[in-house]
Structures are given as C-alpha cells and as structure tokens.
Amino acid sequence: MLKFSPSKGHTVFFENSPRIISSAAICGSKESTGIIGSFADITLQDDMYGESTFEKAECKMLSNVISLAIEKAGFKQTDVDLLLSGDLLNQIISASFAARDFDFPFLGVYSACSTMSESILLGAMMVNAGYVKNAVAATGSHFASAERQYRYPLELGCTRPPQAQWTVTGAGGCLITNADQANDRGVKIVNGTMGKVCDFGVTDVNNMGAAMAPAAADTIMQHFKDTGTEPTDYDMILTGDLGALGSRILKDLTWEKGYDISEMHVDCGEIIYKVIEDEFQGGSGAGCSATVLNSYILSKMGAGLYKRILFAATGALLSTVSSGQGESIPCISHAVQLEV
Amino acid sequence: MLKFSPSKGHTVFFENSPRIISSAAICGSKESTGIIGSFADITLQDDMYGESTFEKAECKMLSNVISLAIEKAGFKQTDVDLLLSGDLLNQIISASFAARDFDFPFLGVYSACSTMSESILLGAMMVNAGYVKNAVAATGSHFASAERQYRYPLELGCTRPPQAQWTVTGAGGCLITNADQANDRGVKIVNGTMGKVCDFGVTDVNNMGAAMAPAAADTIMQHFKDTGTEPTDYDMILTGDLGALGSRILKDLTWEKGYDISEMHVDCGEIIYKVIEDEFQGGSGAGCSATVLNSYILSKMGAGLYKRILFAATGALLSTVSSGQGESIPCISHAVQLEV
C-alpha cells in the first residue's frame, strides 16, 4: 500500500522507505592509494582502462559500475526499470553512451558534481511513488577528460594554483529499490532536499570550493529547517567536493546562522586523497562523491558505524563559455538523508 | 487523496491528473514568420534580445518564458516549488543561469532535443506523487549559440548539406499543477513513457533526423503497447525535430511493425518554418518542440481542436568530442500523453 509522501519547504519525505541495496565503485590508480582504495570494487592500474581515449575510459567505468551495482543486488539487468545518470562532459556523453549498453529507460540529469545526490534523490522519488521498482543512480568523472575539457591540454603541463582541486578518476553507482524487494537489506533513503541555485559572485574557476560552499550551506540549513533536525542528529554531514578551503567556508557560513557542523562535517574531496602537494585542496568532480559514497561510506553504514548521514553533494554550474564571457559561478547542492 | 499510480512497461500512469495550466513561448525573428509567429508570447526583432552574446540571449529567453508561464497561470513566483530544465549548451548553462533568477529549487535535466518531454514527464511525476504542487518545465535553444558550439563559427559562412536542419531560436515552458489547483483548467497529463537509448549506427552529424527516428519509433510503439492504444486513438502524434527525412523514416519504421501513423503524425521541425532552401529538412533544437508545443499546440488543445496528443520529442545524445572520436549517435525519446 502506497503511503502519501508529504513535502515541506524544499524537502520531500519518503514514507515508503526506498532503499539503496547495493553500490559499486571503480577508481583510478591515484585514487586507489587513498581511503577508498580497499573499498572500491575495481581499482585501475592504468587510467585508460584499455580504451583508446580518456572519454571512452570514463564511459566504461560508468557502464561497469551500473552493471556491478545490479549484479551485487542479486538482480539481472531485466529487473531494472530505470537509469538516472549524468556527468561532467559536454552533453553528458559518458552517461548517454553508458546508457546505450542497457535495455532499460534512461533519464539524463545534470548538476555537475551534485549529480550523485540529484540522481539518488530522483531515484528515491520514483521508487517511493511506485513509478518504478528498481532504479540505478550513477555518475563518474575522469581527471584527464575533465582537465582537457575545462582547463588545459594535459600536454601543456600547466601549473596549478594553491586553491585548485584534482578531478577524481572514478565512477560510483547504486541500486535503489522499494521496501518489499529490499527485504530489510540496505540503507533507507528517508527524505531528500532539492537545492536551489546560489551564486555569491565567485569568478575564479580554480576556486570551486568557495563558489560551492554557499549552495551547500543553503541546502543543509533548509534541510534542518524542513525536517526539524539539527547537526547533532547526524553522525555525518557529508559534502561532495568542497575541498579543504570550501569546507572551512561552509562551516563558517552555517556557524553564522547558528548551526555548528564542525564536529560531524566530512567532505569527500578532503578525504579521498592523502593530500600531498599536487591536489592542494583535495579531490573534485562528479566521481569524487560518487566513489566515496558508493564504496567507503555505504560500506561503513552497512557495518553500522554510521547510522544517519546527510549526503549533500555540490555542483558548480559553469562552463568554459560562461566563464569566458565573464560570468560568475552559479552553484547547487541536492541532499538526501540516509539511515540504517 | 493521493491515488496509486501503476506503471506498465516503460509507461507511468498519472491517476491524480497533473495538468498543464499555462504555457509560454518566445521565438526568434526567423521563427516568427512561421506557424508559431502569431501564437508566441514574444517574437524577437533582433535575436540578440538586447544581450551582448548569443548564449546570454538564449538564457534570457528561457528565464522569461519561465516568468511568463508562472504569470499566465495567475501564480506568483513564491507559489512555484520546482523548475525542471535543461538545454543544448555545454553544462546546460542556459538552464542553470536562468534558474539563478528564481528562488525555488532546480533539477537540471539533459536529453538534448527531448528535454521538453523529459521535463514535462518528470514534472508530472512530481506533481502526481504530491512531492510538489507547482512545477515549471522549460527549455530552449538559439541558432547562433548551437551553430558555433556544435558546427562552425557563423563567420565562416559554411554551406549546409541537404539533410541538415536549422536550430530554432526560441524557448518554451509550461506550468504543471495538481488537479485541485487547476480547478478544471488546462490540459491533462495522462501518462508518460520513459525512453531508452537507441543507436542505429548513424554517424552523420548533419543527419539527426535519421539518427533519432529509431528512438522515436521505439518509444511510440512502447507507448502503444503499454497503454493498449493504437495510432487512431490519437488526434496527433507529435515528434520534436525529426525533420522531413526523419519523419519519413519514423513512418516507415512504425509501419513495418504494424502501426500506420501517417495520418496523425506531425513533426514540430517540419511545420515550424515555411520550408525554403536554407532550412532543408526543417527546424531542430530543444527550442523547436518547446516553442511549437507551448504556443501553437497547447493553444489549439485549449480551443478543443485536438483532444488527445502523444508528444514524443527526440534527442540526439552526441557531442563534438564523441563524433570526433568516431562514435555513432545514440538517441532517445521521452513521451507524454496529453488530453483535454
């Protein structure tokens, strides 16, 4: 029996308890030396992944995490009703080409590095309403394809400013199903808060953390308000790729409004690498929160280490054209509350 | 009282009758000489629309159709719960920057020229489930921004092959609300069929109609199967921008499978221009079906001329990078059934 799902503010409550019953992650060689190395399903020795171009390698990672998530749930591809995916490449070609490998419907989404939380949010909405039984949410990124699309050809060997982050090579995905099929397995998606676009006028494309922090703050505080919760109700408030600087700005912005999240805030970008000189502020890219969530975090939740997490990935909605035309960087953050 | 919405195959049935209660369209100077000229809310004399770049003009059209759709519904911006939008530009900057003008949540979507039907489908899903009361679905495109992103700089004055289409300068949007608020106004969204990616191996980027026709055929026939309807049950089967050649291929593909849609098939791309030499196969772009649907078609439905329409816009999910790397063109079509 379907129960009515009320919404409040920007938050939708899922009364029929959609669940993430499996997840999968693939990460690049550099990423495999960090925290997710021992949790990822596949770690690449060579980031070309046997393909002829970086873009094809990115697409292959995405396609393979989708297959893996389905397989790990104990399902067949014919059991899946929907794929929700997007990525950072122009016209989200990784997602569209990965979707070509499967015989189920595909809804393309885009919110830059917030794509993981947007696709989980939409998947939970679909499953909760009974529109579909099983949906896969997935995204990824590749350092080399992002670098040459957004910044400079790798061959130039450009130096990076200290506020820069390093685009993660990796993909992550999960399978969302309804309570009946989950059979008490998995992580509940309790509610989701839809983000709105925030633009604080940051124009430095090497300082995404500063641009995205206000969007994260807006969505996280909207979530507290809509759900009547406060920071201490969560074991972890997990952002996507604010990096070290952006995380400090987020903590400042929320503290100013009376929310102290310093105890339980973790940023996927900050923890994904053993930060050495090259990555400066940590990791970024749609694959950053996708790999950390779908390997390390969901695994720890499964083991009962974390009971309640607010996952709020953030996206910087710029393009090289908008920056070239002098525009600032509009950002967004979508959030989902996960519980075991 | 929320009713359960069953799904069958790839089709979701909306038992709570979400409705389109207002729509708005803005079109460029060339488009205003065609069929939509007298139905659009704003027709541009100058396609720069008072902006300094084509991209900013495209964004302004989109932002303005969103405002207009809200206004024409008799609503204020504070009444709106969600914007669903995407566009053809890299990183969907038109949609993201337009969303910056509004204080409600935004979910970015991408399915190229099928974005209008994808966003209406998602909006109907949200409203039908009670997640939001009012959602705006909108998209657009601009000949000049698309041409320089996908093809050649306009200044080169490249000749166009006979199978080419002309990207529409225009934007369209509509407001979707629930039956209570609609108060018997508007057009019902009865159900929606989610498309899957189809790739028949077409590699000619100037022949999008041929690439997209199989995706349209797949979704339309899936829709017939899921809903138990046949072509004659519809006053019109409306595709987005297959153009003249693509439309012929669609009719052939469906005829081969026992569905004769020749009587009631109309393609927005085929009817938007008075076809003279330049446009060859007709219009294309996300703005093509967006402007035709949200001006001419919904206006005629409001007047009772058409009672039941299947709207199946199609999208070609390529990028310049995927084509440059020798890939074929994966395509998709999402469909919604509209009734008065």
Side-chain angles (χ1 to χ4, degrees):
Chain A
M1 177 59 197
L2 190 82
K3 285 183 279 185
F4 180 77
S5 283
S7 60
K8 192 180 165 203
H10 301 168
T11 303
V12 175
F13 295 85
F14 302 126
E15 305 210 333
N16 302 307
S17 293
R19 283 162 180 262
I20 296 173
I21 57 162
S22 71
S23 66
I26 297 176
C27 71
S29 49
K30 182 184 179 82
E31 290 69 22
S32 67
T33 63
I35 193 168
I36 58 171
S38 52
F39 293 91
D41 297 275
I42 297 173
T43 54
L44 305 183
Q45 301 304 307
D46 172 6
D47 289 2
M48 290 297 285
Y49 206 2
E51 293 292 318
S52 56
T53 69
F54 301 128
E55 290 75 14
K56 288 182 183 177
E58 181 177 327
C59 179
K60 185 176 176 181
M61 288 193 295
L62 191 50
S63 178
N64 284 353
V65 291
I66 297 165
S67 299
L68 276 168
I70 298 168
E71 199 182 292
K72 288 172 78 178
F75 287 171
K76 292 191 292 288
Q77 292 191 9
T78 47
D79 296 324
V80 178
D81 305 305
L82 178 63
L83 169 66
L84 290 150
S85 186
D87 60 275
L88 300 180
L89 296 183
N90 298 342
Q91 287 74 53
I92 62 165
I93 47 169
S94 293
S96 301
F97 281 79
R100 191 172 61 168
D101 297 341
F102 302 96
D103 198 38
F104 40 78
F106 165 59
L107 291 169
V109 297
Y110 182 80
S111 55
C113 307
S114 186
T115 301
M116 195 67 237
S117 51
E118 181 182 356
S119 55
I120 293 176
L121 174 58
L122 278 167
M125 285 172 160
M126 306 278 170
V127 169
N128 184 70
Y131 298 150
V132 299
K133 282 202 180 90
N134 305 311
V136 175
T139 186
S141 55
H142 195 296
F143 171 75
S145 66
E147 204 63 18
R148 71 177 177 184
Q149 177 181 283
Y150 284 107
R151 297 178 191 93
Y152 302 100
L154 291 176
E155 292 81 354
L156 279 180
C158 291
T159 54
R160 304 160 62 82
Q163 68 274 32
Q165 293 168 253
W166 188 276
T167 305
V168 166
T169 298
C174 57
L175 193 136
I176 303 164
T177 190
N178 60 29
D180 282 351
Q181 294 201 101
N183 209 357
D184 238 30
R185 280 182 296 170
V187 171
K188 274 187 226 173
I189 308 166
V190 179
N191 59 51
T193 304
M194 300 179 285
K196 66 184 174 65
V197 173
C198 296
D199 189 336
F200 270 35
V202 173
T203 53
D204 179 0
V205 295
N206 283 307
N207 197 354
M208 300 285 198
M212 294 190 293
D218 184 80
T219 298
I220 291 169
M221 292 190 292
Q222 181 75 43
H223 177 86
F224 290 149
K225 202 177 133 198
D226 294 345
T227 58
T229 56
E230 48 187 84
T232 50
D233 291 324
Y234 297 87
D235 295 326
M236 187 186 282
I237 292 170
L238 183 70
T239 50
D241 55 351
L242 295 177
L245 178 60
S247 293
R248 279 171 57 189
I249 299 173
L250 168 65
K251 281 178 253 192
D252 280 356
L253 288 172
T254 47
W255 186 83
E256 277 173 9
K257 301 280 183 187
Y259 296 103
D260 182 1
I261 63 164
S262 56
E263 289 281 311
M264 68 294 291
H265 174 256
V266 172
D267 182 68
C268 298
E270 260 193 306
I271 61 169
I272 194 167
Y273 297 118
K274 295 174 183 153
V275 177
I276 48 168
E277 199 180 279
D278 260 6
E279 305 88 12
F280 294 117
Q281 304 294 331
S284 69
C288 181
S289 61
T291 52
V292 174
L293 178 80
N294 289 299
S295 63
Y296 180 77
I297 298 289
L298 286 176
S299 163
K300 294 286 180 193
M301 283 196 93
L305 192 65
Y306 306 120
K307 296 216 167 8
R308 188 191 267 182
I309 288 182
L310 179 63
F311 172 53
T314 49
L317 306 172
L318 79 170
S319 82
T320 52
V321 169
S322 68
S323 293
Q325 294 182 0
E327 282 283 8
S328 54
I329 307 172
C331 294
I332 200 160
S333 172
H334 301 292
V336 284
Q337 184 179 326
L338 306 175
E339 280 182 24
V340 283
Chain B
M1 177 60 196
L2 190 81
K3 282 183 280 185
F4 179 78
S5 282
S7 60
K8 193 179 165 204
H10 301 168
T11 303
V12 175
F13 295 85
F14 302 126
E15 303 210 335
N16 302 305
S17 294
R19 282 162 181 262
I20 296 173
I21 57 163
S22 71
S23 66
I26 297 177
C27 71
S29 49
K30 181 185 180 79
E31 288 70 21
S32 68
T33 62
I35 193 169
I36 60 172
S38 52
F39 293 91
D41 298 274
I42 297 172
T43 53
L44 305 183
Q45 300 306 306
D46 172 6
D47 289 1
M48 290 297 285
Y49 205 1
E51 294 293 318
S52 56
T53 69
F54 301 128
E55 289 76 15
K56 289 182 182 177
E58 181 177 327
C59 179
K60 185 175 176 182
M61 287 193 297
L62 191 50
S63 178
N64 285 353
V65 290
I66 297 165
S67 300
L68 276 168
I70 298 168
E71 200 181 292
K72 287 171 79 177
F75 287 171
K76 291 190 293 286
Q77 291 191 8
T78 48
D79 297 323
V80 178
D81 304 305
L82 178 63
L83 170 65
L84 291 150
S85 186
D87 59 274
L88 300 180
L89 295 183
N90 298 343
Q91 287 74 53
I92 61 164
I93 48 169
S94 293
S96 300
F97 281 80
R100 190 171 64 169
D101 298 340
F102 303 96
D103 198 38
F104 40 79
F106 165 59
L107 291 170
V109 297
Y110 182 79
S111 54
C113 307
S114 185
T115 301
M116 195 66 237
S117 52
E118 180 182 356
S119 55
I120 293 176
L121 174 59
L122 278 167
M125 284 172 160
M126 306 279 170
V127 168
N128 184 69
Y131 298 149
V132 299
K133 282 203 180 90
N134 305 311
V136 175
T139 188
S141 55
H142 194 297
F143 170 75
S145 67
E147 204 63 18
R148 69 178 177 184
Q149 177 182 283
Y150 285 106
R151 295 178 192 94
Y152 302 99
L154 290 178
E155 293 81 355
L156 279 180
C158 291
T159 54
R160 305 160 63 81
Q163 69 273 33
Q165 293 169 252
W166 188 276
T167 305
V168 166
T169 298
C174 57
L175 193 136
I176 302 163
T177 190
N178 60 28
D180 283 352
Q181 295 201 98
N183 210 357
D184 240 29
R185 281 183 295 172
V187 171
K188 274 187 224 173
I189 307 166
V190 180
N191 59 51
T193 304
M194 301 179 285
K196 65 183 174 66
V197 173
C198 296
D199 190 335
F200 269 36
V202 174
T203 53
D204 179 0
V205 295
N206 282 306
N207 197 355
M208 300 285 199
M212 296 190 293
D218 185 78
T219 298
I220 291 168
M221 291 190 292
Q222 182 74 43
H223 177 87
F224 290 148
K225 200 176 134 197
D226 294 346
T227 57
T229 56
E230 48 186 87
T232 49
D233 291 325
Y234 297 88
D235 295 326
M236 186 186 283
I237 293 170
L238 184 68
T239 50
D241 54 352
L242 295 177
L245 178 59
S247 293
R248 277 171 57 191
I249 299 173
L250 168 66
K251 279 177 256 191
D252 280 356
L253 288 172
T254 48
W255 186 83
E256 279 173 8
K257 300 279 184 187
Y259 296 103
D260 181 1
I261 64 164
S262 56
E263 288 281 312
M264 68 294 291
H265 174 257
V266 173
D267 182 69
C268 297
E270 260 193 306
I271 61 170
I272 193 167
Y273 297 119
K274 294 174 184 152
V275 177
I276 49 168
E277 199 181 276
D278 261 7
E279 305 88 12
F280 293 117
Q281 303 295 331
S284 68
C288 180
S289 62
T291 51
V292 174
L293 179 79
N294 289 298
S295 63
Y296 179 77
I297 298 289
L298 286 176
S299 162
K300 294 286 180 191
M301 282 195 93
L305 192 64
Y306 307 120
K307 297 216 166 8
R308 187 191 268 183
I309 287 181
L310 179 64
F311 172 54
T314 48
L317 306 172
L318 79 169
S319 82
T320 53
V321 169
S322 68
S323 293
Q325 294 182 1
E327 283 281 10
S328 54
I329 307 173
C331 294
I332 200 160
S333 172
H334 301 292
V336 284
Q337 184 179 324
L338 307 174
E339 280 183 23
V340 284

